[in-house]
Amino acid sequence: MAGVRAVHHLNCGSFRFGLVTHVVVCETDDGVVMVDAGIGSADIESPSALGKAALVLGPALERNETALMQLQGLGYSASDVRHIICTHLDYDHISGARDFPDALVHVTADEHAVASTRPSFTAKLRYRKHHLPLDMRVKTYEGEGEPFLGFSVSYQVAGLNDFMLVPMRGHTLGHAGVAIRAGERGWLFHAGDAFYHRSSIGAGPSPRGLRPRALRVLESMLAADSKRIDINHARLYELAHSQQIGVEVFCSHDRAALRELQTRQ
């Protein structure tokens, strides 16, 4: 069973409009555990494989932003990564998994099913066959689960005492948040793409100008179930402001929030 010794907050994929891809790397007693994997080496070498839809937001595709290169900078090799816990399987969250072939990938069963079968036109645009870890070891989660941090359903990640997968349908049909028990820091909650800016959950000042509206429009456009956006925002607002629990809540694409966490890590 793994206990978290150290946490690193990495940007594993920049985009235009100041967006980032926030990957959490945890050093544990059982090797490295990652929450999401960012954009991987293969897609940076061959951007056309991403498809035109994926390039609309202008990914920077910088090799030095891959999780692999940043982990090597921390003194780790690809084989040290034992687990990758996915909030969902959009390319900017799963592409980097290919750089860690020895890892066990954890994802909700709903997300894995939709991404594997790609039953609709939008699913075919969203999920790329070469991104899916179908030749990797995969553990999926479904069923009753257990209540956790006010959520009605959650799953303890197999083999890891300090990690919980929390379904949060909305951005995708199988989207989830990931809770990390990080020693003295308490619980961290990576909300994936359940929101795009911390102001959505009252965790920071609203950005000026058109940016907040543009981010909200983008969030709605990319959501598989847009009716869940406000519900998820409200639940995460409660979690972020709870005086009893004390949870650090953050999302995947907020650059300012990532920088704050990096200064404290």
Side-chain angles (χ1 to χ4, degrees), residues 2-40:
V4 176
R5 298 196 309 266
V7 177
H8 305 276
H9 298 274
L10 309 180
N11 173 21
C12 295
S14 297
F15 292 83
R16 67 166 66 107
F17 310 122
L19 301 178
V20 297
T21 302
H22 188 161
V23 170
V24 179
V25 172
C26 300
E27 299 179 23
T28 80
D29 300 330
D30 190 35
V32 174
V33 178
M34 292 171 51
V35 178
D36 285 344
I39 302 175

Side-chain angles (χ1 to χ4, degrees), residues 37-38 86 88-98 105 131-133:
C86 299
H88 60 298
L89 297 175
D90 280 351
Y91 79 94
D92 51 327
H93 299 260
I94 188 59
S95 167
R98 293 290 187 186
V105 175
H131 291 153
L132 306 182

Side-chain angles (χ1 to χ4, degrees), residues 204-218:
S206 296
R208 296 179 179 179
L210 295 175
R211 184 176 173 80
R213 281 179 285 173
L215 288 175
R216 185 56 186 266
V217 169
L218 180 64

Side-chain angles (χ1 to χ4, degrees), residues 141-162:
Y141 298 80
E142 61 184 332
E144 209 170 291
E146 60 185 280
F148 177 72
L149 293 180
F151 295 94
S152 58
V153 178
S154 72
Y155 308 103
Q156 183 173 318
V157 178
L160 302 172
N161 275 343
D162 299 308

Side-chain angles (χ1 to χ4, degrees), residues 8 10 89 105 119 137-138 150 155 172 181 202 213 237 254 258:
H8 305 276
L10 309 180
L89 297 175
V105 175
R137 294 180 301 133
V138 178
Y155 308 103
T172 66
R181 185 162 50 196
R213 281 179 285 173
Y237 180 95
D254 187 329
L258 172 60

Side-chain angles (χ1 to χ4, degrees), residues 7 31 33 58 79 82-83 109 111 142 163 166 206 216 226 250 256:
V7 177
V33 178
S79 61
R82 304 293 298 277
H83 301 270
E111 184 72 1
E142 61 184 332
F163 297 83
V166 182
S206 296
R216 185 56 186 266
S226 59
F250 51 88

